[in-house]
Amino acid sequence: MFEKVEELTKEIKASVAESQEELERYRLRFIARKGELASLFQQLKDVPNERKREFGQAVNEIKKLAQDRFKELINGLENNQNNRQASDLDLTLPAEDPIGAIHPITATRNRIIEIFKRIGFNVSDGPEIEDDWHNFTALNFPPNHPAREMQDTFFIEKDPDMVLRTHTSNVQIRLMQSQKPPFRSIMPGRVFRNEAISARAHCIFHQVEGLYVAENVSFKDLKETLYYFAKEMFGKDTDIRFRPSYFPFTEPSAEMDISCDLLKPGTCKLCGGTKNICKGTGWVEILGCGMVDPNVLESCGIDSQKYTGFAFGMGIERIAMLKYQIKDLRLFTENDIRFLGQFKTEV
Ligand code: PHE
């Protein structure tokens, strides 16, 4: 009889239940009223008196063991089922929120390209690491000319000087060297200046420059082109104004402002009525422009008697900040998902 207890103990310890049926078989055998343990209790009366106590204890122990094991088997089976549910996941179903957002700088760049493409501009590209000649000298910045100081530059090598381009004008030079006019092209790209990072400035930012060189290109063409751009980008009721300015590579040069809604009823599309962008003037600067200086055309082998051209350049960050009312330029590079997630509709 003691052997029987030992044998059943081993069986209970080794038992498994991989399904409800196996669990039920275990229950019937070891837990139920008519199971094997119940019959052990009945055998108690046949045990000699001096061993009754010992046998009774053994039977009680095995009963407890059987119940504990039963609980373990139930838990094990439940976990198993949960796991199975997890692995039953259909990985081919679409994710709940699978759509990322296009970065506002990319969205703005694409929009600018799209607008200029409609009026015949193509897109040109060029190197971000540039020699001094393409970044400065060919653009009419003589050596030691104070105009070079307008743009704080990262030098990669000295003699010969290699720089991180300070503007995308180097692409204008490369275009004029490699093709014959007429051409109408825009140059989007990343540029670098040694500036302290703040809400309004960064050492890495993006520009789109444009160049149109052909016979008889005049300042009027420049104005019409940029007027069209401003209206398409900021809305039909946008006005523009030009203020005289200076760039070494254009003559005459100007800075262009767009009107905000300050002077019109309703809330302003740029500041929402706070006036903190136009400082109460009703005008906001968005780009620099001018007629290409004949010296620049000549340094690229283009006959400045025959051809004229206009050029312009704008910061993509600035346009994006105005368009989306973004107050701090650093947000563009911080990769904060709470910021980027707000541009989902741009996809
Ligand atoms: N290259 C100028 C800048 O980066 C912008 C510009 C381009 C101005 C073309 C006039 C004409 O500041």
Side-chain angles (χ1 to χ4, degrees), residues 150-151 166-169 172 193 207 209-210 247 249-250 253-254 288-290 311-314:
M150 284 165 69
Q151 304 188 348
T166 54
H167 45 191
T168 53
S169 309
Q172 303 196 15
R193 290 185 196 176
Q207 281 189 334
E209 293 206 357
F247 299 102
F249 32 87
T250 47
S253 305
C289 57
F312 56 87
M314 67 187 99

mmCIF file of all heavy atoms in Angstrom, residues 150-151 166-169 172 193 207 209-210 247 249-250 253-254 288-290 311-314, ligand 1:
data_model
loop_
_atom_site.group_PDB
_atom_site.id
_atom_site.type_symbol
_atom_site.label_atom_id
_atom_site.label_comp_id
_atom_site.label_asym_id
_atom_site.label_seq_id
_atom_site.Cartn_x
_atom_site.Cartn_y
_atom_site.Cartn_z
ATOM 1 N N MET A 150 29.921 88.516 -44.478
ATOM 2 C CA MET A 150 28.462 88.405 -44.316
ATOM 3 C C MET A 150 28.085 86.962 -43.988
ATOM 4 O O MET A 150 27.045 86.684 -43.437
ATOM 5 C CB MET A 150 27.743 88.790 -45.618
ATOM 6 C CG MET A 150 27.690 90.285 -45.885
ATOM 7 S SD MET A 150 27.230 90.604 -47.601
ATOM 8 C CE MET A 150 25.524 90.088 -47.635
ATOM 9 N N GLN A 151 28.942 86.045 -44.395
ATOM 10 C CA GLN A 151 28.608 84.635 -44.236
ATOM 11 C C GLN A 151 29.723 83.932 -43.468
ATOM 12 O O GLN A 151 30.794 83.699 -43.996
ATOM 13 C CB GLN A 151 28.421 83.996 -45.611
ATOM 14 C CG GLN A 151 27.374 84.728 -46.428
ATOM 15 C CD GLN A 151 27.021 84.020 -47.710
ATOM 16 O OE1 GLN A 151 27.695 83.094 -48.133
ATOM 17 N NE2 GLN A 151 25.938 84.460 -48.332
ATOM 18 N N THR A 166 28.097 77.921 -48.073
ATOM 19 C CA THR A 166 27.323 78.837 -47.226
ATOM 20 C C THR A 166 25.987 79.191 -47.862
ATOM 21 O O THR A 166 25.132 79.793 -47.232
ATOM 22 C CB THR A 166 28.124 80.132 -47.002
ATOM 23 O OG1 THR A 166 28.477 80.658 -48.286
ATOM 24 C CG2 THR A 166 29.380 79.856 -46.205
ATOM 25 N N HIS A 167 25.838 78.841 -49.130
ATOM 26 C CA HIS A 167 24.574 79.035 -49.837
ATOM 27 C C HIS A 167 24.551 78.053 -51.012
ATOM 28 O O HIS A 167 25.570 77.417 -51.310
ATOM 29 C CB HIS A 167 24.395 80.481 -50.329
ATOM 30 C CG HIS A 167 25.601 81.080 -50.994
ATOM 31 N ND1 HIS A 167 25.721 82.400 -51.295
ATOM 32 C CD2 HIS A 167 26.757 80.510 -51.426
ATOM 33 C CE1 HIS A 167 26.878 82.636 -51.885
ATOM 34 N NE2 HIS A 167 27.523 81.498 -51.972
ATOM 35 N N THR A 168 23.411 77.914 -51.667
ATOM 36 C CA THR A 168 23.373 76.982 -52.807
ATOM 37 C C THR A 168 23.753 77.694 -54.113
ATOM 38 O O THR A 168 23.604 77.134 -55.199
ATOM 39 C CB THR A 168 21.995 76.290 -52.946
ATOM 40 O OG1 THR A 168 20.978 77.282 -52.991
ATOM 41 C CG2 THR A 168 21.735 75.346 -51.807
ATOM 42 N N SER A 169 24.293 78.914 -54.002
ATOM 43 C CA SER A 169 24.713 79.642 -55.211
ATOM 44 C C SER A 169 25.823 78.918 -55.953
ATOM 45 O O SER A 169 26.022 79.155 -57.150
ATOM 46 C CB SER A 169 25.195 81.052 -54.845
ATOM 47 O OG SER A 169 24.246 81.709 -54.044
ATOM 48 N N GLN A 172 24.479 77.412 -58.925
ATOM 49 C CA GLN A 172 24.269 78.343 -60.047
ATOM 50 C C GLN A 172 25.529 78.422 -60.895
ATOM 51 O O GLN A 172 25.475 78.386 -62.125
ATOM 52 C CB GLN A 172 23.933 79.750 -59.524
ATOM 53 C CG GLN A 172 22.724 79.800 -58.622
ATOM 54 C CD GLN A 172 22.218 81.227 -58.452
ATOM 55 O OE1 GLN A 172 22.580 82.124 -59.206
ATOM 56 N NE2 GLN A 172 21.355 81.431 -57.470
ATOM 57 N N ARG A 193 26.495 77.515 -41.960
ATOM 58 C CA ARG A 193 27.162 78.759 -41.547
ATOM 59 C C ARG A 193 27.513 78.665 -40.072
ATOM 60 O O ARG A 193 26.764 78.068 -39.291
ATOM 61 C CB ARG A 193 26.260 79.972 -41.790
ATOM 62 C CG ARG A 193 26.090 80.254 -43.261
ATOM 63 C CD ARG A 193 25.303 81.514 -43.547
ATOM 64 N NE ARG A 193 24.862 81.496 -44.938
ATOM 65 C CZ ARG A 193 24.085 82.403 -45.495
ATOM 66 N NH1 ARG A 193 23.672 83.427 -44.778
ATOM 67 N NH2 ARG A 193 23.716 82.300 -46.760
ATOM 68 N N GLN A 207 18.179 75.983 -48.214
ATOM 69 C CA GLN A 207 17.820 77.097 -49.098
ATOM 70 C C GLN A 207 17.235 76.552 -50.390
ATOM 71 O O GLN A 207 17.499 75.417 -50.777
ATOM 72 C CB GLN A 207 19.085 77.873 -49.497
ATOM 73 C CG GLN A 207 19.602 78.838 -48.463
ATOM 74 C CD GLN A 207 20.715 79.704 -49.032
ATOM 75 O OE1 GLN A 207 21.413 79.315 -49.959
ATOM 76 N NE2 GLN A 207 20.870 80.892 -48.483
ATOM 77 N N GLU A 209 17.538 78.322 -54.084
ATOM 78 C CA GLU A 209 17.906 79.475 -54.899
ATOM 79 C C GLU A 209 17.367 79.247 -56.298
ATOM 80 O O GLU A 209 17.073 78.113 -56.696
ATOM 81 C CB GLU A 209 19.427 79.639 -54.940
ATOM 82 C CG GLU A 209 19.981 80.020 -53.590
ATOM 83 C CD GLU A 209 21.282 80.790 -53.641
ATOM 84 O OE1 GLU A 209 21.798 80.995 -54.767
ATOM 85 O OE2 GLU A 209 21.767 81.179 -52.584
ATOM 86 N N GLY A 210 17.229 80.327 -57.035
ATOM 87 C CA GLY A 210 16.727 80.204 -58.401
ATOM 88 C C GLY A 210 17.563 81.048 -59.337
ATOM 89 O O GLY A 210 18.150 82.058 -58.922
ATOM 90 N N PHE A 247 24.028 92.317 -52.461
ATOM 91 C CA PHE A 247 24.706 91.018 -52.538
ATOM 92 C C PHE A 247 25.821 91.186 -53.548
ATOM 93 O O PHE A 247 25.640 91.888 -54.556
ATOM 94 C CB PHE A 247 23.744 89.906 -53.012
ATOM 95 C CG PHE A 247 22.570 89.697 -52.096
ATOM 96 C CD1 PHE A 247 21.317 90.216 -52.424
ATOM 97 C CD2 PHE A 247 22.709 88.991 -50.907
ATOM 98 C CE1 PHE A 247 20.227 90.041 -51.590
ATOM 99 C CE2 PHE A 247 21.619 88.820 -50.065
ATOM 100 C CZ PHE A 247 20.382 89.344 -50.407
ATOM 101 N N PHE A 249 26.876 89.286 -55.792
ATOM 102 C CA PHE A 249 26.659 88.594 -57.073
ATOM 103 C C PHE A 249 25.466 89.127 -57.844
ATOM 104 O O PHE A 249 25.152 88.630 -58.917
ATOM 105 C CB PHE A 249 26.488 87.088 -56.836
ATOM 106 C CG PHE A 249 25.837 86.768 -55.518
ATOM 107 C CD1 PHE A 249 24.456 86.706 -55.399
ATOM 108 C CD2 PHE A 249 26.620 86.545 -54.390
ATOM 109 C CE1 PHE A 249 23.870 86.431 -54.176
ATOM 110 C CE2 PHE A 249 26.035 86.267 -53.161
ATOM 111 C CZ PHE A 249 24.665 86.210 -53.046
ATOM 112 N N THR A 250 24.743 90.098 -57.299
ATOM 113 C CA THR A 250 23.610 90.674 -58.040
ATOM 114 C C THR A 250 23.686 92.195 -58.011
ATOM 115 O O THR A 250 24.157 92.787 -57.038
ATOM 116 C CB THR A 250 22.257 90.217 -57.426
ATOM 117 O OG1 THR A 250 22.312 90.371 -56.013
ATOM 118 C CG2 THR A 250 21.927 88.783 -57.779
ATOM 119 N N SER A 253 20.274 94.722 -56.312
ATOM 120 C CA SER A 253 19.819 93.663 -55.405
ATOM 121 C C SER A 253 18.641 94.164 -54.576
ATOM 122 O O SER A 253 18.489 95.378 -54.376
ATOM 123 C CB SER A 253 20.931 93.263 -54.444
ATOM 124 O OG SER A 253 22.102 92.887 -55.141
ATOM 125 N N ALA A 254 17.857 93.217 -54.120
ATOM 126 C CA ALA A 254 16.699 93.604 -53.297
ATOM 127 C C ALA A 254 16.362 92.501 -52.304
ATOM 128 O O ALA A 254 16.752 91.348 -52.486
ATOM 129 C CB ALA A 254 15.491 93.873 -54.198
ATOM 130 N N GLY A 288 16.061 87.067 -50.697
ATOM 131 C CA GLY A 288 16.954 88.025 -51.347
ATOM 132 C C GLY A 288 16.966 87.741 -52.839
ATOM 133 O O GLY A 288 16.782 86.594 -53.258
ATOM 134 N N CYS A 289 17.202 88.800 -53.645
ATOM 135 C CA CYS A 289 17.147 88.587 -55.092
ATOM 136 C C CYS A 289 17.871 89.720 -55.816
ATOM 137 O O CYS A 289 18.306 90.688 -55.195
ATOM 138 C CB CYS A 289 15.697 88.514 -55.557
ATOM 139 S SG CYS A 289 14.750 89.988 -55.123
ATOM 140 N N GLY A 290 17.991 89.575 -57.108
ATOM 141 C CA GLY A 290 18.593 90.643 -57.884
ATOM 142 C C GLY A 290 18.923 90.184 -59.286
ATOM 143 O O GLY A 290 18.724 89.019 -59.638
ATOM 144 N N ALA A 311 18.420 86.238 -60.179
ATOM 145 C CA ALA A 311 18.618 85.150 -59.206
ATOM 146 C C ALA A 311 17.893 85.512 -57.920
ATOM 147 O O ALA A 311 17.630 86.697 -57.652
ATOM 148 C CB ALA A 311 20.106 84.957 -58.937
ATOM 149 N N PHE A 312 17.551 84.506 -57.171
ATOM 150 C CA PHE A 312 16.938 84.748 -55.856
ATOM 151 C C PHE A 312 17.320 83.604 -54.929
ATOM 152 O O PHE A 312 17.759 82.536 -55.384
ATOM 153 C CB PHE A 312 15.406 84.867 -55.964
ATOM 154 C CG PHE A 312 14.749 83.659 -56.611
ATOM 155 C CD1 PHE A 312 14.377 82.551 -55.845
ATOM 156 C CD2 PHE A 312 14.523 83.622 -57.974
ATOM 157 C CE1 PHE A 312 13.778 81.449 -56.434
ATOM 158 C CE2 PHE A 312 13.938 82.516 -58.576
ATOM 159 C CZ PHE A 312 13.567 81.425 -57.812
ATOM 160 N N GLY A 313 17.192 83.838 -53.646
ATOM 161 C CA GLY A 313 17.504 82.782 -52.687
ATOM 162 C C GLY A 313 16.655 82.944 -51.442
ATOM 163 O O GLY A 313 16.454 84.062 -50.953
ATOM 164 N N MET A 314 16.118 81.823 -50.958
ATOM 165 C CA MET A 314 15.300 81.901 -49.735
ATOM 166 C C MET A 314 15.635 80.740 -48.805
ATOM 167 O O MET A 314 16.099 79.690 -49.252
ATOM 168 C CB MET A 314 13.812 81.882 -50.079
ATOM 169 C CG MET A 314 13.327 80.575 -50.667
ATOM 170 S SD MET A 314 11.620 80.693 -51.239
ATOM 171 C CE MET A 314 11.862 80.943 -52.994
HETATM 172 N N1 PHE B 1 22.932 83.573 -51.804
HETATM 173 C C1 PHE B 1 22.218 84.535 -51.008
HETATM 174 C C2 PHE B 1 22.306 84.142 -49.550
HETATM 175 O O1 PHE B 1 22.538 83.001 -49.262
HETATM 176 C C3 PHE B 1 20.765 84.611 -51.396
HETATM 177 C C4 PHE B 1 20.584 85.214 -52.742
HETATM 178 C C5 PHE B 1 20.589 84.433 -53.878
HETATM 179 C C6 PHE B 1 20.466 86.564 -52.880
HETATM 180 C C7 PHE B 1 20.445 84.972 -55.109
HETATM 181 C C8 PHE B 1 20.305 87.151 -54.131
HETATM 182 C C9 PHE B 1 20.294 86.344 -55.224
HETATM 183 O O2 PHE B 1 22.183 84.958 -48.688
#
